[in-house]
């Protein structure tokens, strides 16, 4: 099948987008772990005292000394990872949240009775079939509307003849329109 | 000269949708915080055990504390990365599945609307943002159906006859106006 219907059957969320998100998450988490490693490396890599007793006492006292360093480094990791992941979520998920927001505006506009334009999302946005399905629905409604108006206009042409023919044609047109509208349920 | 009054208003781009992105950000933050807390708990107890054990054992053939815990630290850091990344990946896949399900239902509903079905609920599911969106679509479909049914019953009433020519003409024009208001 070709044309808009085929385009409307595209994936809601592209596999590439999901892989891109996973890859960025991987890089973000790896960066966070890397920072955690660097902090702990600098805390642990200080040379121990040269003599035997000095090393013994240093090792005995290392655990209580390391505890706050460990806590702070984990906190720094958590803050950095959370910050960068939040930024990533806002940037990447915007490709879904943006079109949803736009569709909500269009639906509100449609319900208020204001003229509705064809919806198109930005390139790179996901959930494209949503816009295509909405356009298909509005397009069908507009075609039906034009057909109903054309049927009524056609009946009005007979008003150039006598009154009875005009009325009969108008009533016939109304029956046609009502019959046509029956498909909506 | 270009008249700015004739330009269509540019829609404002909103990058943050707290209802959609907010829960995802919170879920990722919870995963990272949980991973960090588990890492801290495990590494802290391991460090205490390893340093004490090394101090008692003697034979200090190392230059720094890092040389003692290098493998242990590498193992736990790898565990932290794998754990957080795998859980995050599962969350991403769940988000994608929820989006596919919710928006898929909305797309199906709009396609069904094009075929004339304006009454079957969209059924986007219980997830907040999609549920709200599905209700918006249902409201738009419901408005359209109400409008079409009203026009249809009016058309049928007019077609039934028994109305004076003046009133018929008046209601005919009104009906045309109502039809024009469908999907403006």
């Amino acid at each position: 099948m070709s044309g808009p219907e085929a385009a409307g059957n595209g994936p809601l969320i592209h596999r590439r987008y999901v892989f891109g998100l996973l890859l960025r998450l991987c890089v973000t988490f790896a960066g966070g772990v890397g920072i955690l490693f660097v902090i702990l490396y600098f805390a642990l890599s200080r040379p121990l005292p040269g003599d035997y007793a000095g090393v013994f006492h240093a090792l005995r006292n290392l655990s209580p000394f390391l505890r706050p360093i460990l806590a702070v480094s984990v906190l720094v990791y958590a803050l950095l990872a959370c910050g960068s992941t939040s930024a990533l979520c806002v940037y990447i998920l915007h490709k879904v949240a943006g079109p949803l927001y736009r569709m909500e505006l269009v639906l509100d506009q449609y319900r208020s009775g204001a003229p509705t334009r064809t919806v198109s999302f930005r390139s790179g946005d996901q959930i494209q079939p949503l816009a295509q399905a909405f356009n298909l629905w509005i397009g069908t409604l507009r075609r039906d509307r034009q057909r109903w108006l054309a049927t009524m206009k056609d009946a009005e042409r007979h008003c150039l003849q006598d009154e009875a023919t005009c009325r009969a044609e108008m009533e016939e047109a109304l029956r046609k329109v009502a019959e046509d509208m029956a498909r909506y349920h | 000269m270009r008249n700015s009054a004739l330009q269509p208003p540019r829609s404002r781009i909103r990058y943050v949708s707290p209802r959609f992105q907010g829960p995802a950000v919170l879920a990722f933050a919870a995963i990272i915080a949980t991973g960090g807390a588990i890492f801290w708990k495990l590494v802290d107890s391991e460090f205490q055990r390893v340093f004490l054990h090394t101090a008692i054992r003697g034979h200090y053939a190392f230059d720094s504390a890092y040389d003692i815990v290098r493998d242990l630290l590498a193992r736990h850091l790898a565990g932290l990365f794998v754990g957080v990344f795998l859980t995050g990946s599962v969350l991403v896949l769940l988000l994608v599945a929820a989006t596919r399900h919710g928006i898929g239902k909305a797309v199906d509903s709009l396609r069904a609307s094009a075929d004339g079905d304006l009454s079957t609920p969209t059924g986007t599911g219980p997830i907040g943002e999609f549920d709200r969106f599905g209700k918006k679509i249902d409201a738009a479909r419901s408005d359209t159906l109400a409008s079409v049914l009203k026009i249809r019953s009016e058309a049928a009433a007019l077609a039934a006859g028994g109305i004076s020519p003046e009133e018929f003409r008046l209601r005919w024009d009104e009906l045309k106006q109502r039809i024009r208001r469908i999907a403006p």
Side-chain angles (χ1 to χ4, degrees), chain A residues 73-128:
Chain A
S73 58
V74 168
L75 193 66
V76 168
Y77 154 77
L79 288 176
L80 284 176
C82 283
S84 50
T85 309
S86 302
L88 191 66
C89 278
V90 169
Y91 172 68
I92 299 280
L93 295 183
H94 173 63
K95 307 246 178 235
V96 175
L100 262 185
Y101 174 67
R102 174 143 163 66
M103 276 307 298
E104 278 185 19
L105 288 184
V106 169
L107 285 169
D108 287 342
Q109 197 181 7
Y110 172 77
R111 287 192 71 199
S112 71
T116 312
R117 286 193 297 182
T118 309
V119 181
S120 60
F121 298 149
R122 298 156 302 183
S123 64
D125 273 350
Q126 302 300 303
I127 60 170
Q128 295 281 352

CSV table of all heavy atoms in Angstrom, one decimal, chain A residues 73-128:
chain,number,residue,atom,x,y,z
A,73,SER,N,31.6,10.2,48.1
A,73,SER,CA,31.9,9.9,46.7
A,73,SER,C,30.6,9.2,46.1
A,73,SER,O,30.2,9.5,45.0
A,73,SER,CB,33.1,8.9,46.6
A,73,SER,OG,32.9,7.8,47.4
A,74,VAL,N,29.9,8.4,46.9
A,74,VAL,CA,28.6,7.8,46.5
A,74,VAL,C,27.6,8.9,46.3
A,74,VAL,O,26.8,8.9,45.3
A,74,VAL,CB,28.2,6.7,47.4
A,74,VAL,CG1,26.7,6.3,47.1
A,74,VAL,CG2,29.1,5.5,47.4
A,75,LEU,N,27.6,9.9,47.2
A,75,LEU,CA,26.6,11.0,47.0
A,75,LEU,C,26.9,11.8,45.8
A,75,LEU,O,26.0,12.2,45.0
A,75,LEU,CB,26.7,11.9,48.3
A,75,LEU,CG,25.6,12.9,48.5
A,75,LEU,CD1,24.3,12.2,48.7
A,75,LEU,CD2,25.9,13.9,49.6
A,76,VAL,N,28.2,12.1,45.5
A,76,VAL,CA,28.6,12.8,44.3
A,76,VAL,C,28.2,12.0,43.1
A,76,VAL,O,27.6,12.6,42.1
A,76,VAL,CB,30.1,13.1,44.3
A,76,VAL,CG1,30.6,13.6,42.9
A,76,VAL,CG2,30.5,14.1,45.4
A,77,TYR,N,28.4,10.7,43.1
A,77,TYR,CA,28.0,9.8,42.0
A,77,TYR,C,26.5,9.9,41.8
A,77,TYR,O,26.1,10.1,40.6
A,77,TYR,CB,28.5,8.4,42.3
A,77,TYR,CG,27.6,7.4,41.6
A,77,TYR,CD1,27.8,7.1,40.2
A,77,TYR,CD2,26.6,6.6,42.2
A,77,TYR,CE1,27.0,6.2,39.5
A,77,TYR,CE2,25.8,5.7,41.6
A,77,TYR,CZ,26.0,5.5,40.2
A,77,TYR,OH,25.2,4.6,39.6
A,78,ALA,N,25.8,9.8,42.9
A,78,ALA,CA,24.3,9.8,42.7
A,78,ALA,C,23.8,11.1,42.2
A,78,ALA,O,22.9,11.1,41.3
A,78,ALA,CB,23.7,9.5,44.1
A,79,LEU,N,24.4,12.2,42.7
A,79,LEU,CA,23.9,13.5,42.2
A,79,LEU,C,24.3,13.8,40.8
A,79,LEU,O,23.4,14.2,40.0
A,79,LEU,CB,24.5,14.7,43.1
A,79,LEU,CG,24.0,14.8,44.5
A,79,LEU,CD1,24.8,15.8,45.3
A,79,LEU,CD2,22.5,15.1,44.5
A,80,LEU,N,25.5,13.4,40.4
A,80,LEU,CA,25.9,13.6,39.0
A,80,LEU,C,25.1,12.7,38.1
A,80,LEU,O,24.6,13.1,37.0
A,80,LEU,CB,27.4,13.3,38.8
A,80,LEU,CG,28.3,14.4,39.3
A,80,LEU,CD1,29.8,13.9,39.2
A,80,LEU,CD2,28.1,15.7,38.6
A,81,ALA,N,24.9,11.4,38.5
A,81,ALA,CA,24.2,10.5,37.6
A,81,ALA,C,22.7,10.9,37.5
A,81,ALA,O,22.2,10.9,36.4
A,81,ALA,CB,24.3,9.1,38.2
A,82,CYS,N,22.2,11.3,38.6
A,82,CYS,CA,20.7,11.7,38.6
A,82,CYS,C,20.6,13.0,37.7
A,82,CYS,O,19.6,13.1,36.9
A,82,CYS,CB,20.2,12.0,40.0
A,82,CYS,SG,19.9,10.6,41.0
A,83,GLY,N,21.5,13.9,37.9
A,83,GLY,CA,21.4,15.2,37.1
A,83,GLY,C,21.5,14.9,35.6
A,83,GLY,O,20.7,15.4,34.8
A,84,SER,N,22.5,14.1,35.2
A,84,SER,CA,22.7,13.9,33.8
A,84,SER,C,21.6,13.0,33.3
A,84,SER,O,21.2,13.2,32.1
A,84,SER,CB,24.1,13.3,33.5
A,84,SER,OG,24.3,12.2,34.4
A,85,THR,N,21.1,12.0,34.1
A,85,THR,CA,20.0,11.2,33.6
A,85,THR,C,18.7,12.0,33.4
A,85,THR,O,18.0,11.8,32.5
A,85,THR,CB,19.8,10.0,34.5
A,85,THR,OG1,21.0,9.4,34.8
A,85,THR,CG2,18.8,9.0,34.0
A,86,SER,N,18.5,13.0,34.4
A,86,SER,CA,17.3,13.8,34.3
A,86,SER,C,17.4,14.7,33.0
A,86,SER,O,16.4,14.8,32.3
A,86,SER,CB,17.3,14.8,35.5
A,86,SER,OG,17.2,14.0,36.6
A,87,ALA,N,18.6,15.2,32.7
A,87,ALA,CA,18.7,16.0,31.5
A,87,ALA,C,18.5,15.2,30.3
A,87,ALA,O,17.9,15.6,29.3
A,87,ALA,CB,20.2,16.6,31.5
A,88,LEU,N,19.0,13.9,30.3
A,88,LEU,CA,18.8,13.0,29.2
A,88,LEU,C,17.3,12.7,29.0
A,88,LEU,O,16.8,12.6,27.9
A,88,LEU,CB,19.6,11.7,29.5
A,88,LEU,CG,19.8,10.7,28.4
A,88,LEU,CD1,20.6,11.3,27.3
A,88,LEU,CD2,20.4,9.4,29.0
A,89,CYS,N,16.6,12.4,30.2
A,89,CYS,CA,15.2,12.1,30.1
A,89,CYS,C,14.4,13.3,29.5
A,89,CYS,O,13.6,13.1,28.6
A,89,CYS,CB,14.7,11.8,31.5
A,89,CYS,SG,15.0,10.2,32.1
A,90,VAL,N,14.8,14.5,29.9
A,90,VAL,CA,14.1,15.7,29.4
A,90,VAL,C,14.3,15.8,27.9
A,90,VAL,O,13.4,16.0,27.1
A,90,VAL,CB,14.5,16.9,30.1
A,90,VAL,CG1,14.0,18.2,29.4
A,90,VAL,CG2,14.0,16.9,31.6
A,91,TYR,N,15.6,15.6,27.5
A,91,TYR,CA,16.0,15.8,26.1
A,91,TYR,C,15.4,14.7,25.2
A,91,TYR,O,14.8,14.9,24.1
A,91,TYR,CB,17.5,15.8,26.0
A,91,TYR,CG,18.0,15.8,24.6
A,91,TYR,CD1,17.8,16.9,23.7
A,91,TYR,CD2,18.7,14.7,24.1
A,91,TYR,CE1,18.3,16.9,22.4
A,91,TYR,CE2,19.2,14.7,22.8
A,91,TYR,CZ,19.0,15.8,22.0
A,91,TYR,OH,19.4,15.8,20.7
A,92,ILE,N,15.6,13.4,25.6
A,92,ILE,CA,15.2,12.3,24.8
A,92,ILE,C,13.6,12.1,24.9
A,92,ILE,O,13.0,11.9,23.8
A,92,ILE,CB,15.9,11.0,25.3
A,92,ILE,CG1,17.4,11.1,25.1
A,92,ILE,CG2,15.4,9.8,24.5
A,92,ILE,CD1,18.0,11.0,23.8
A,93,LEU,N,13.1,12.1,26.1
A,93,LEU,CA,11.6,11.8,26.2
A,93,LEU,C,10.8,13.0,25.6
A,93,LEU,O,9.6,12.8,25.4
A,93,LEU,CB,11.2,11.5,27.6
A,93,LEU,CG,11.8,10.3,28.2
A,93,LEU,CD1,11.3,10.0,29.6
A,93,LEU,CD2,11.5,9.0,27.4
A,94,HIS,N,11.4,14.1,25.4
A,94,HIS,CA,10.7,15.2,24.8
A,94,HIS,C,10.2,14.9,23.4
A,94,HIS,O,9.2,15.4,22.9
A,94,HIS,CB,11.6,16.4,24.7
A,94,HIS,CG,11.1,17.6,23.9
A,94,HIS,ND1,9.9,18.2,24.3
A,94,HIS,CD2,11.4,18.2,22.8
A,94,HIS,CE1,9.6,19.2,23.5
A,94,HIS,NE2,10.5,19.2,22.5
A,95,LYS,N,10.9,13.9,22.7
A,95,LYS,CA,10.5,13.5,21.4
A,95,LYS,C,9.2,12.7,21.4
A,95,LYS,O,8.5,12.5,20.4
A,95,LYS,CB,11.6,12.5,20.8
A,95,LYS,CG,12.9,13.1,20.8
A,95,LYS,CD,13.4,13.4,19.4
A,95,LYS,CE,14.8,14.1,19.4
A,95,LYS,NZ,14.8,15.3,18.6
A,96,VAL,N,8.7,12.3,22.6
A,96,VAL,CA,7.4,11.7,22.8
A,96,VAL,C,6.5,12.7,23.5
A,96,VAL,O,5.3,12.9,23.1
A,96,VAL,CB,7.5,10.4,23.6
A,96,VAL,CG1,6.1,9.8,23.9
A,96,VAL,CG2,8.4,9.4,22.9
A,97,ALA,N,7.0,13.3,24.6
A,97,ALA,CA,6.2,14.3,25.4
A,97,ALA,C,5.8,15.5,24.5
A,97,ALA,O,4.6,15.9,24.7
A,97,ALA,CB,6.9,14.7,26.6
A,98,GLY,N,6.7,16.0,23.6
A,98,GLY,CA,6.4,17.1,22.8
A,98,GLY,C,5.2,16.9,21.9
A,98,GLY,O,4.2,17.6,21.9
A,99,PRO,N,5.2,15.8,21.1
A,99,PRO,CA,4.0,15.5,20.2
A,99,PRO,C,2.7,15.3,21.0
A,99,PRO,O,1.7,15.7,20.5
A,99,PRO,CB,4.5,14.2,19.5
A,99,PRO,CG,5.9,14.2,19.5
A,99,PRO,CD,6.3,14.9,20.7
A,100,LEU,N,2.9,14.7,22.2
A,100,LEU,CA,1.7,14.4,23.0
A,100,LEU,C,1.1,15.8,23.4
A,100,LEU,O,-0.2,16.0,23.3
A,100,LEU,CB,2.0,13.7,24.3
A,100,LEU,CG,1.8,12.2,24.3
A,100,LEU,CD1,2.1,11.6,25.6
A,100,LEU,CD2,0.4,11.8,23.9
A,101,TYR,N,1.9,16.7,23.8
A,101,TYR,CA,1.5,18.0,24.3
A,101,TYR,C,0.8,18.8,23.1
A,101,TYR,O,-0.2,19.4,23.2
A,101,TYR,CB,2.7,18.8,24.8
A,101,TYR,CG,2.4,20.2,25.1
A,101,TYR,CD1,1.6,20.6,26.2
A,101,TYR,CD2,3.0,21.3,24.4
A,101,TYR,CE1,1.4,21.9,26.5
A,101,TYR,CE2,2.8,22.6,24.7
A,101,TYR,CZ,2.0,22.9,25.8
A,101,TYR,OH,1.7,24.2,26.1
A,102,ARG,N,1.5,18.6,21.9
A,102,ARG,CA,1.0,19.3,20.7
A,102,ARG,C,-0.4,18.7,20.3
A,102,ARG,O,-1.3,19.5,20.0
A,102,ARG,CB,1.9,19.1,19.6
A,102,ARG,CG,1.5,19.6,18.2
A,102,ARG,CD,2.6,20.2,17.4
A,102,ARG,NE,2.2,20.4,16.0
A,102,ARG,CZ,1.2,21.2,15.6
A,102,ARG,NH1,0.5,21.9,16.4
A,102,ARG,NH2,0.9,21.2,14.3
A,103,MET,N,-0.6,17.4,20.4
A,103,MET,CA,-1.8,16.8,20.1
A,103,MET,C,-2.9,17.2,21.1
A,103,MET,O,-4.1,17.4,20.7
A,103,MET,CB,-1.7,15.3,20.1
A,103,MET,CG,-1.2,14.6,18.9
A,103,MET,SD,-2.0,15.1,17.4
A,103,MET,CE,-3.7,14.4,17.7
A,104,GLU,N,-2.5,17.4,22.3
A,104,GLU,CA,-3.5,17.8,23.3
A,104,GLU,C,-4.0,19.2,23.0
A,104,GLU,O,-5.2,19.5,23.1
A,104,GLU,CB,-2.9,17.9,24.7
A,104,GLU,CG,-2.9,16.5,25.4
A,104,GLU,CD,-2.3,16.6,26.8
A,104,GLU,OE1,-2.3,17.7,27.4
A,104,GLU,OE2,-1.9,15.5,27.3
A,105,LEU,N,-3.1,20.1,22.5
A,105,LEU,CA,-3.5,21.5,22.1
A,105,LEU,C,-4.4,21.4,20.9
A,105,LEU,O,-5.4,22.1,20.9
A,105,LEU,CB,-2.2,22.3,21.8
A,105,LEU,CG,-1.3,22.7,22.9
A,105,LEU,CD1,-0.2,23.6,22.4
A,105,LEU,CD2,-2.1,23.5,24.0
A,106,VAL,N,-4.1,20.5,20.0
A,106,VAL,CA,-4.9,20.4,18.8
A,106,VAL,C,-6.3,19.9,19.1
A,106,VAL,O,-7.3,20.4,18.6
A,106,VAL,CB,-4.2,19.5,17.7
A,106,VAL,CG1,-5.1,19.1,16.6
A,106,VAL,CG2,-3.0,20.1,17.2
A,107,LEU,N,-6.4,18.9,20.0
A,107,LEU,CA,-7.7,18.4,20.5
A,107,LEU,C,-8.5,19.4,21.2
A,107,LEU,O,-9.7,19.5,20.9
A,107,LEU,CB,-7.5,17.1,21.4
A,107,LEU,CG,-7.0,15.9,20.6
A,107,LEU,CD1,-6.6,14.8,21.7
A,107,LEU,CD2,-8.1,15.3,19.8
A,108,ASP,N,-7.8,20.2,22.0
A,108,ASP,CA,-8.6,21.3,22.7
A,108,ASP,C,-9.1,22.3,21.7
A,108,ASP,O,-10.2,22.8,21.8
A,108,ASP,CB,-7.6,22.0,23.7
A,108,ASP,CG,-7.3,21.2,24.9
A,108,ASP,OD1,-8.1,20.2,25.2
A,108,ASP,OD2,-6.3,21.4,25.6
A,109,GLN,N,-8.2,22.6,20.7
A,109,GLN,CA,-8.6,23.6,19.7
A,109,GLN,C,-9.8,23.0,18.9
A,109,GLN,O,-10.7,23.8,18.6
A,109,GLN,CB,-7.4,23.7,18.8
A,109,GLN,CG,-7.4,25.0,17.9
A,109,GLN,CD,-6.2,25.0,17.0
A,109,GLN,OE1,-5.4,24.1,16.9
A,109,GLN,NE2,-6.0,26.1,16.3
A,110,TYR,N,-9.7,21.8,18.5
A,110,TYR,CA,-10.8,21.1,17.8
A,110,TYR,C,-12.1,21.2,18.5
A,110,TYR,O,-13.2,21.5,18.0
A,110,TYR,CB,-10.4,19.7,17.5
A,110,TYR,CG,-11.5,18.9,16.9
A,110,TYR,CD1,-11.8,19.0,15.5
A,110,TYR,CD2,-12.3,18.0,17.6
A,110,TYR,CE1,-12.9,18.3,14.9
A,110,TYR,CE2,-13.3,17.3,17.0
A,110,TYR,CZ,-13.6,17.4,15.7
A,110,TYR,OH,-14.6,16.7,15.1
A,111,ARG,N,-12.0,20.9,19.8
A,111,ARG,CA,-13.3,20.9,20.7
A,111,ARG,C,-13.8,22.3,20.9
A,111,ARG,O,-15.1,22.4,21.0
A,111,ARG,CB,-13.0,20.3,22.0
A,111,ARG,CG,-12.8,18.8,22.0
A,111,ARG,CD,-12.8,18.2,23.4
A,111,ARG,NE,-14.1,18.2,24.0
A,111,ARG,CZ,-14.3,18.1,25.3
A,111,ARG,NH1,-13.3,18.0,26.1
A,111,ARG,NH2,-15.5,18.1,25.8
A,112,SER,N,-13.0,23.3,20.8
A,112,SER,CA,-13.5,24.7,21.0
A,112,SER,C,-14.1,25.2,19.7
A,112,SER,O,-14.7,26.3,19.7
A,112,SER,CB,-12.3,25.6,21.4
A,112,SER,OG,-11.4,25.8,20.3
A,113,GLY,N,-14.0,24.4,18.6
A,113,GLY,CA,-14.6,24.8,17.4
A,113,GLY,C,-13.8,25.7,16.5
A,113,GLY,O,-14.2,26.2,15.4
A,114,ALA,N,-12.5,25.9,16.9
A,114,ALA,CA,-11.6,26.7,16.1
A,114,ALA,C,-11.1,25.9,14.9
A,114,ALA,O,-11.1,24.7,15.0
A,114,ALA,CB,-10.4,27.2,16.9
A,115,PRO,N,-10.8,26.6,13.8
A,115,PRO,CA,-10.3,25.8,12.6
A,115,PRO,C,-9.1,25.0,12.9
A,115,PRO,O,-8.2,25.5,13.6
A,115,PRO,CB,-10.0,26.9,11.6
A,115,PRO,CG,-10.7,28.1,12.0
A,115,PRO,CD,-10.9,28.0,13.5
A,116,THR,N,-9.1,23.7,12.5
A,116,THR,CA,-8.0,22.8,12.9
A,116,THR,C,-7.2,22.6,11.6
A,116,THR,O,-7.7,22.2,10.6
A,116,THR,CB,-8.6,21.4,13.3
A,116,THR,OG1,-9.6,21.7,14.3
A,116,THR,CG2,-7.5,20.5,13.9
A,117,ARG,N,-5.9,22.8,11.8
A,117,ARG,CA,-5.0,22.6,10.6
A,117,ARG,C,-4.4,21.2,10.7
A,117,ARG,O,-4.5,20.5,11.7
A,117,ARG,CB,-3.8,23.6,10.7
A,117,ARG,CG,-4.3,25.0,10.3
A,117,ARG,CD,-3.2,25.9,10.0
A,117,ARG,NE,-2.4,26.1,11.2
A,117,ARG,CZ,-1.3,26.9,11.2
A,117,ARG,NH1,-1.0,27.6,10.1
A,117,ARG,NH2,-0.6,27.1,12.3
A,118,THR,N,-3.9,20.7,9.6
A,118,THR,CA,-3.2,19.4,9.5
A,118,THR,C,-2.1,19.4,10.5
A,118,THR,O,-1.3,20.3,10.6
A,118,THR,CB,-2.7,19.2,8.1
A,118,THR,OG1,-3.7,19.4,7.2
A,118,THR,CG2,-2.2,17.7,7.9
A,119,VAL,N,-2.1,18.3,11.3
A,119,VAL,CA,-1.0,18.2,12.3
A,119,VAL,C,0.2,17.5,11.7
A,119,VAL,O,0.1,16.5,11.0
A,119,VAL,CB,-1.6,17.3,13.5
A,119,VAL,CG1,-0.5,17.2,14.6
A,119,VAL,CG2,-2.8,17.9,14.1
A,120,SER,N,1.4,18.1,12.0
A,120,SER,CA,2.6,17.4,11.6
A,120,SER,C,3.6,17.7,12.7
A,120,SER,O,3.7,18.8,13.3
A,120,SER,CB,3.1,18.0,10.3
A,120,SER,OG,3.4,19.4,10.4
A,121,PHE,N,4.3,16.6,13.1
A,121,PHE,CA,5.3,16.8,14.1
A,121,PHE,C,6.7,17.1,13.5
A,121,PHE,O,6.9,17.0,12.3
A,121,PHE,CB,5.4,15.4,14.9
A,121,PHE,CG,4.2,15.0,15.6
A,121,PHE,CD1,3.9,13.7,15.8
A,121,PHE,CD2,3.3,16.0,16.1
A,121,PHE,CE1,2.7,13.3,16.5
A,121,PHE,CE2,2.1,15.6,16.8
A,121,PHE,CZ,1.8,14.3,16.9
A,122,ARG,N,7.6,17.5,14.4
A,122,ARG,CA,9.0,17.8,14.0
A,122,ARG,C,9.7,16.6,13.5
A,122,ARG,O,9.3,15.5,14.0
A,122,ARG,CB,9.8,18.5,15.1
A,122,ARG,CG,9.2,19.8,15.6
A,122,ARG,CD,9.6,20.0,17.0
A,122,ARG,NE,9.2,18.9,17.9
A,122,ARG,CZ,9.4,18.9,19.2
A,122,ARG,NH1,10.0,19.9,19.8
A,122,ARG,NH2,9.0,17.9,20.0
A,123,SER,N,10.7,16.7,12.7
A,123,SER,CA,11.4,15.6,12.2
A,123,SER,C,12.2,15.0,13.5
A,123,SER,O,12.7,15.8,14.2
A,123,SER,CB,12.4,15.9,11.1
A,123,SER,OG,13.4,16.8,11.6
A,124,GLY,N,12.2,13.7,13.6
A,124,GLY,CA,12.9,13.1,14.8
A,124,GLY,C,11.9,12.8,15.9
A,124,GLY,O,12.2,12.1,16.8
A,125,ASP,N,10.7,13.5,15.8
A,125,ASP,CA,9.7,13.2,16.9
A,125,ASP,C,9.2,11.7,16.7
A,125,ASP,O,9.1,11.2,15.5
A,125,ASP,CB,8.5,14.1,16.7
A,125,ASP,CG,8.8,15.4,17.5
A,125,ASP,OD1,9.7,15.4,18.3
A,125,ASP,OD2,8.0,16.3,17.3
A,126,GLN,N,8.8,11.1,17.8
A,126,GLN,CA,8.3,9.8,17.7
A,126,GLN,C,6.7,9.9,17.6
A,126,GLN,O,6.2,11.0,17.4
A,126,GLN,CB,8.7,9.0,18.9
A,126,GLN,CG,10.2,8.9,19.1
A,126,GLN,CD,10.8,8.2,18.0
A,126,GLN,OE1,10.5,7.0,17.6
A,126,GLN,NE2,11.8,8.8,17.3
A,127,ILE,N,6.1,8.8,17.7
A,127,ILE,CA,4.6,8.7,17.6
A,127,ILE,C,4.0,9.4,16.4
A,127,ILE,O,2.9,10.0,16.5
A,127,ILE,CB,3.9,9.0,19.0
A,127,ILE,CG1,4.2,10.4,19.5
A,127,ILE,CG2,4.3,8.0,20.0
A,127,ILE,CD1,3.3,10.8,20.7
A,128,GLN,N,4.7,9.4,15.3
A,128,GLN,CA,4.2,10.1,14.1
A,128,GLN,C,2.8,9.5,13.6
A,128,GLN,O,2.0,10.3,13.1
A,128,GLN,CB,5.2,9.9,12.9
A,128,GLN,CG,6.5,10.6,13.1
A,128,GLN,CD,6.5,12.1,12.9
A,128,GLN,OE1,5.5,12.6,12.4
A,128,GLN,NE2,7.5,12.8,13.3
